[in-house]
């Protein structure tokens, strides 16, 4: 899919209606596309997602910028452009992009350099790129298979799903409707299952499959292993970042978020709407409750209650981890003061001992 600017532009007043916002400045000005503040030109809308970017906005050439109502109230008078103020800027940005720069559907095609099995079931509107290989699979309406992707036998890819370049979907896996697999994703490879046998490790057959449900997006070079006994499942609407490992039999509920370089071990459960920040590790069989939030680089070694927030390794309540972090930063000073106190105590103990000896000697001299 590609995007192009709106040829005739859209008035800011129309965008304000679309996103339930208000315009501070000239609402009749037209905008055509969304760009970052540094490179924006007249006719562009820019977006501020962090206070660090405000310096760029003050010098922007954009026609308008999108921000939250609180920020707009503080800095709109300083800016050289109009302001589109909204309550939820991230959600509004999605709508603005779709209005100004909608995705353009490309014509369906099967490249002559692709290899498609004669028994594959291909619905209308499917596109298959050069070098792709499709086995005895089922591809639903409007599915796209990128260049050099591999879709194995007995795979089902539901309508509107996108299989990116170099993606591998192995036997028995299912990809839900409108799911997106970014380049390099592997779904359905064997899990890391071995049993000790004397001095060696023997492979345990992986009998389950991998199921990616509808509206899931999986980032580049992430892996979803097939189950050992129970299936591996990535629930509806879940968003998985790049370089994430989802091991055999792990199950992630609906609309969860798993950020880059996280690893979810075998048979672990992650509840619906849970959020795992970057580089989180989850041990086998751990249960993370619905809506739980796991801080970056945390190690989840035990169950986490629904709705709770934890951080650290092993993960503890986020507030406790924050307090411990403060203490950790002052650890060197604490150690120095402790050692000084120990020396003082030792000196006082020695002085008391001498006094006791001297007192005892003088007491004996009086008799």
């Amino acid at each position: 899919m590609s995007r192009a600017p709106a040829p005739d532009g859209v008035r800011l007043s129309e965008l304000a209606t679309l996103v339930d916002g208000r315009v501070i400045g000239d609402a009749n000005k037209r905008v055509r596309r969304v760009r970052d503040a540094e490179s924006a030109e007249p006719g562009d809308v820019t977006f501020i997602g962090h206070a660090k970017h405000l310096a760029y906005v003050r010098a922007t050439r954009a026609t308008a910028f999108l921000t939250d109502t609180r920020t707009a109230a503080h800095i709109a008078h300083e800016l050289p452009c109009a302001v589109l103020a909204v309550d939820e800027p991230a959600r509004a940005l999605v709508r603005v992009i779709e209005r100004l720069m909608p995705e353009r559907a490309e014509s369906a095609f099967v490249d002559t350099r692709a290899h498609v099995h004669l028994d594959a079931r291909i619905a209308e509107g499917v596109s298959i790129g050069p070098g792709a290989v499709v086995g005895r699979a089922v591809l639903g309406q409007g599915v796209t298979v990128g260049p050099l992707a591999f879709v194995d036998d007995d795979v089902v890819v539901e309508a509107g799903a996108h299989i990116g370049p170099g993606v591998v979907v192995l036997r028995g896996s299912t990809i839900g409707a409108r799911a997106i697999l970014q380049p390099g994703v592997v779904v359905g490879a064997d899990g890391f299952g071995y049993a000790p046998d004397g001095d060696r490790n023997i492979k345990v057959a992986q009998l389950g499959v991998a199921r990616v449900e509808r509206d899931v997006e999986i980032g580049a070079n992430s892996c979803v292993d097939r189950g050992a006994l129970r299936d591996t499942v990535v629930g509806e609407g879940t968003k998985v970042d790049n370089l994430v490992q989802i091991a055999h039999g792990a199950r992630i509920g609906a609309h969860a978020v798993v950020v880059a370089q996280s690893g979810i071990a075998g048979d672990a459960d992650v509840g619906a709407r849970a959020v795992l920040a970057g580089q989180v590790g989850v041990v086998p069989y751990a249960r993370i409750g619905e809506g739980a939030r796991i801080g970056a680089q945390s190690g989840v070694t035990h169950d986490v209650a629904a709705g709770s927030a934890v951080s650290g390794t092993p993960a503890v309540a986020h507030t406790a981890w924050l307090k411990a972090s403060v203490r950790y930063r002052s650890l060197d000073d604490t150690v120095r003061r402790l050692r000084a106190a120990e020396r003082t105590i030792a000196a006082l103990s020695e002085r008391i001992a001498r006094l006791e000896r001297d007192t005892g000697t003088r007491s004996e001299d009086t008799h």
Side-chain angles (χ1 to χ4, degrees):
M1 295 288 188
S2 59
R3 297 179 185 269
D8 299 324
V10 177
R11 283 191 175 89
L12 290 176
S13 57
E14 181 182 336
L15 291 183
T17 300
L18 176 69
V19 299
D20 297 323
R22 68 186 186 94
V23 178
I24 303 173
D26 187 352
N28 289 317
K29 287 189 175 181
R30 289 181 173 270
V31 289
R32 299 178 58 243
R33 62 182 175 181
V34 179
R35 296 185 73 180
D36 67 281
E38 288 183 273
S39 57
E41 298 176 352
D44 294 340
V45 176
T46 191
F47 171 74
I48 291 301
H50 196 283
K52 290 181 178 179
H53 299 155
L54 289 176
Y56 299 127
V57 174
R58 291 186 175 95
T60 189
R61 299 177 62 216
T63 295
F65 96 93
L66 173 67
T67 191
D68 64 276
T69 51
R70 182 175 180 180
T71 300
H74 281 85
I75 68 168
H77 64 283
E78 304 176 24
L79 302 179
C81 60
V83 176
L84 181 55
V86 295
D87 291 333
E88 297 183 43
R91 181 182 297 179
L93 178 63
V94 173
R95 294 180 179 177
V96 169
I97 290 174
E98 290 302 323
R99 178 64 182 88
L100 295 180
M101 306 173 68
E103 286 187 336
R104 297 186 302 184
E106 299 175 358
S107 300
F109 71 97
V110 176
D111 193 279
T112 57
R113 292 163 291 179
H115 177 80
V116 181
H117 197 282
L118 293 176
D119 293 333
R121 293 163 55 189
I122 310 297
E124 294 182 359
V126 169
S127 295
I128 303 176
V133 176
V134 177
R136 293 187 300 273
V138 178
L139 305 185
Q141 186 173 5
V143 165
T144 58
V145 179
L148 301 176
F150 176 72
V151 181
D152 205 352
D153 295 343
D154 304 321
V155 167
V156 175
V157 183
E158 296 179 357
H162 173 73
I163 309 298
V167 167
V168 175
V169 185
L170 293 171
R171 185 187 298 269
S173 301
T174 59
I175 309 299
R178 300 175 301 280
I180 298 172
L181 306 186
Q182 297 288 359
V185 167
V186 177
V187 175
D190 279 358
F192 192 71
Y194 299 91
D197 182 23
D199 295 333
R200 65 193 186 113
N201 296 306
I202 57 174
K203 186 176 179 65
V204 177
Q206 305 292 286
L207 304 180
V209 297
R211 293 192 281 118
V212 175
E213 297 186 347
R214 63 185 181 183
D215 298 313
V216 167
E217 182 164 358
I218 300 180
N221 294 321
S222 293
C223 296
V224 182
D225 292 344
R226 69 175 56 249
L229 295 177
R230 74 171 189 169
D231 294 347
T232 306
V233 179
V234 182
E236 175 183 346
T238 285
K239 309 304 179 187
V240 178
D241 200 356
N242 301 337
L243 298 169
V244 169
Q245 162 67 10
I246 300 172
H248 54 186
R251 293 192 172 176
I252 303 176
H255 305 291
V257 174
V258 184
V259 184
Q261 298 183 1
S262 292
I264 302 172
D267 293 302
D269 284 345
V270 177
R273 300 178 304 283
V275 177
L276 278 60
Q279 297 185 331
V280 165
V282 181
V283 301
Y285 303 105
R287 301 290 181 264
I288 297 176
E290 292 188 7
R293 291 161 293 157
I294 315 298
Q297 297 187 325
S298 295
V300 178
T301 59
H302 52 79
D303 292 355
V304 175
S308 60
V310 300
S311 295
T313 301
V316 296
H318 185 65
T319 52
W321 177 80
L322 288 175
K323 293 177 181 177
S325 297
V326 171
R327 295 188 183 106
Y328 180 80
R329 289 197 293 271
S330 61
L331 187 59
D332 283 346
D333 181 61
T334 301
V335 170
R336 283 193 294 270
R337 290 189 289 111
L338 178 60
R339 288 175 177 170
E342 288 175 339
R343 289 193 295 269
T344 300
I345 292 170
L348 288 172
S349 297
E350 178 61 26
R351 184 177 179 183
I352 291 170
R354 285 199 304 269
L355 288 171
E356 289 176 343
R357 288 195 299 270
D358 292 346
T359 303
T361 300
R362 286 195 297 272
S363 177
E364 290 173 359
D365 291 344
T366 60
H367 294 284

